[in-house]
Amino acid sequence: MTRHLSWFLGLTIAASACATGAGARMPTATSRLGAIAVANAVAPDADPTTLEGKLMFGYQGWFGCPGDGSSLDTWQHWFRGATASASTLRVDMWPDVSELPESERCDTPLALPGGQPAQLYSAYNPRTVDRHFAWLQDYNLPGVFLQRFTSRLDDRSVLGFRDGVARNVRQAAEAHARVFAIMYDISGHPRETVVEAVKRDWVYMVDTLRITESPRYLQHHARPVLAIWGFGFRDRAPTPDQAAEIIDFLKNNPEPRYRVTLVGGIPARWRTLGRDSQTDEAWARVYRSFDILSPWTVGRFSDEENTDRFYQNEVEPDLAETNRLGLEYMPVVFPGFSWHNMNPTAPVNPIPRRGGRFYWHQVERALQAGATMIYGAMFDEVDEGTAMFKLAPTRDRVPAGVPIVTLDADGERLPSDWYLQLAREAQHRLASRK
């Protein structure tokens, strides 16, 4: 593990010049040996009282399979629909399941090049989610935002699955001294019912699941942290008035137990109401009513040059605006992108990872810009090829005959935990700035 990290750190990759004209470089192995030794030690408990100094992953937790014990009892997100086949595969990366015992693995009808069945996992299995949080602890990573999609929560089977995953996340965070918070995603939710759905479910989470009573539920400014992703995007249904009503309910509720520190997963061009943002001027007030802004940048740039341009034109002015308003800012970093199996007309691996260079360049730019918290997209998102957990490194570890992006896709042989290693170093750099 250390050998691979030293190799990468020793590359001395030069970042493009920042707006000030100063260059940023990767730390060398020689200068970072002490920090690497600290990173390999037993991780301290993650502080549950603040988001400051944390790189928090998004955790989809939406993967299921037949026989996992859930009320859905079918393939969830690995394949399109209930039938598993090469033609229905919907993920572009494959998880490394080598550490999972057979009791945690789900056989698929797909086969590895050697003829063995290609296997997956279910997030409904508490042992598997516990393993994910053990990895977070192993790499000294603080925790996750659990994605909770509001659509279909009125379906008892869907609700049962999502509640089961939420319980797994809570239990695993408590077992491994990590932190977690809920992030609502309103994607696909009908406009007519979104307000009531979010209100009802947050009351349910607080009063029935009692999720915020966990000692590992993340707090910030002495309130539970809650995020909402999706308001204001051009392809999302809620109106500015609906968003404002939900935000007011969560921030200013007459019942103190429902009040939160609210994170907004919002369009990248929230400040100018351009490109990915709806243009109604009312959205400007909505965006600025969150406590913490986290503009979504996945797919907004694809290489280092465009990353630099984006940070100069968007992130730096964003930070100036949030500082002026007294708001906080959590930039998003991602390792690469690919969603060919979800969208067959899309190319495979359109935003290559370049062995981690693309990810690391974003980390450097976020730190240069003054970020004190970072959102990592994502821990387990293999659908869109942004996953950071342990992944299949080579073609012999993925199903034959289907397009899968392995870690050697860009011509470099990397260990399955490579991106956890890079995230560990990013977390160390971020925390050391506090």
Side-chain angles (χ1 to χ4, degrees):
M1 187 182 299
T2 300
R3 178 176 62 83
H4 290 289
L5 185 54
S6 299
W7 166 79
F8 188 81
L9 295 177
L11 284 177
T12 318
I13 301 171
S16 299
C18 17
T20 61
R25 288 180 178 273
M26 285 284 294
T28 65
T30 301
S31 66
R32 297 293 295 125
L33 286 176
I36 292 167
V38 170
N40 285 335
V42 175
D45 292 358
D47 180 2
T49 67
T50 182
L51 186 53
E52 191 84 4
K54 288 184 172 63
L55 189 163
M56 293 284 290
F57 285 118
Y59 188 81
Q60 298 285 21
W62 55 18
F63 297 106
C65 59
D68 62 6
S70 75
S71 52
L72 292 174
D73 192 30
T74 189
W75 293 108
Q76 290 291 306
H77 270 268
W78 297 116
F79 298 92
R80 294 188 297 276
T83 302
S85 68
S87 63
T88 61
L89 185 69
R90 62 167 288 152
V91 301
D92 271 32
M93 303 192 85
W94 201 264
D96 178 7
V97 297
S98 61
E99 295 181 27
L100 278 61
E102 283 295 327
S103 61
E104 292 181 45
R105 304 187 195 188
C106 308
D107 284 349
T108 76
L110 307 181
L112 302 179
Q116 309 95 321
Q119 296 174 311
L120 295 167
Y121 70 85
S122 171
Y124 194 78
N125 189 323
R127 294 186 298 276
T128 303
V129 176
D130 183 83
R131 190 176 313 281
H132 291 165
F133 275 75
W135 292 344
L136 292 173
Q137 185 178 31
D138 289 345
Y139 295 85
N140 196 16
L141 296 163
V144 304
F145 280 96
L146 171 62
Q147 314 297 292
R148 189 169 173 90
F149 288 79
T150 60
S151 64
R152 299 184 65 203
L153 284 177
D154 54 351
D155 182 318
R156 292 182 63 85
S157 294
V158 172
L159 179 65
F161 183 90
R162 294 179 186 169
D163 285 356
V165 174
R167 293 187 184 98
N168 291 346
V169 166
R170 173 179 181 165
Q171 180 178 328
E174 292 173 359
H176 296 283
R178 303 299 93 192
V179 297
F180 73 104
I182 298 298
M183 175 179 277
Y184 285 119
D185 190 322
I186 53 85
S187 299
H189 201 115
R191 177 177 296 170
E192 297 75 21
T193 58
V194 66
V195 173
E196 182 56 32
V198 173
K199 290 182 178 181
R200 181 177 61 248
D201 193 69
W202 183 240
V203 170
Y204 170 76
M205 295 291 282
V206 172
D207 291 346
T208 301
L209 294 190
R210 306 174 80 89
I211 202 82
T212 56
E213 294 180 17
S214 170
R216 307 311 304 174
Y217 194 93
L218 183 61
Q219 309 276 319
H220 192 65
H221 299 312
R223 287 186 176 186
V225 174
L226 179 69
I228 301 181
W229 193 95
F231 285 152
F233 287 85
R234 286 183 174 271
D235 57 351
R236 299 315 193 266
T239 66
D241 287 344
Q242 289 178 314
E245 182 177 348
I246 291 172
I247 292 170
D248 182 67
F249 174 84
L250 295 168
K251 289 183 58 177
N252 306 308
N253 199 291
E255 291 290 343
R257 67 184 184 277
Y258 302 131
R259 297 176 197 158
V260 302
T261 295
L262 194 59
V263 180
I266 58 175
R269 271 71 178 200
W270 65 275
R271 185 174 35 81
T272 57
L273 302 182
R275 302 286 290 274
D276 54 349
S277 174
Q278 296 185 39
T279 58
D280 187 328
E281 288 291 337
W283 281 111
R285 295 188 299 274
V286 170
Y287 297 146
R288 290 162 175 79
S289 65
F290 286 102
D291 299 305
I292 302 169
L293 303 187
S294 187
W296 187 245
T297 53
V298 174
R300 301 322 189 247
F301 41 80
S302 58
D303 55 31
E304 284 87 340
E305 180 181 356
N306 285 310
T307 301
D308 289 337
R309 186 177 299 112
F310 184 89
Y311 267 75
Q312 181 176 350
N313 295 339
E314 304 297 340
V315 175
E316 291 167 10
D318 282 0
L319 278 162
E321 174 70 355
T322 52
N323 288 337
R324 183 184 71 82
L325 296 169
L327 304 177
E328 293 176 278
Y329 190 84
M330 183 167 60
V332 174
V333 298
F334 67 106
F337 180 85
S338 184
W339 64 353
H340 169 79
N341 288 315
M342 268 205 301
N343 300 279
T345 59
V348 178
N349 202 23
I351 304 181
R353 297 184 171 211
R354 299 187 59 246
R357 295 168 180 80
F358 178 63
Y359 173 81
W360 192 259
H361 192 77
Q362 293 169 69
V363 170
E364 286 285 2
R365 289 310 306 254
L367 294 173
Q368 290 166 8
T372 62
M373 55 187 72
I374 295 176
Y375 185 91
M378 308 276 285
F379 185 80
D380 57 341
E381 171 63 289
V382 289
D383 309 59
E384 297 183 358
T386 62
M388 294 282 293
F389 67 170
K390 297 185 183 184
L391 293 160
T394 53
R395 294 297 310 174
D396 63 325
R397 303 274 289 276
V398 303
V402 292
I404 295 288
V405 180
T406 50
L407 293 187
D408 63 352
D410 302 320
E412 296 175 81
R413 191 172 180 87
L414 301 169
S416 68
D417 69 341
W418 181 236
Y419 288 89
L420 291 175
Q421 293 189 50
L422 296 185
R424 177 178 60 192
E425 179 67 12
Q427 170 60 37
H428 176 83
R429 294 280 299 277
L430 179 63
S432 67
R433 297 166 62 93
K434 289 179 61 178

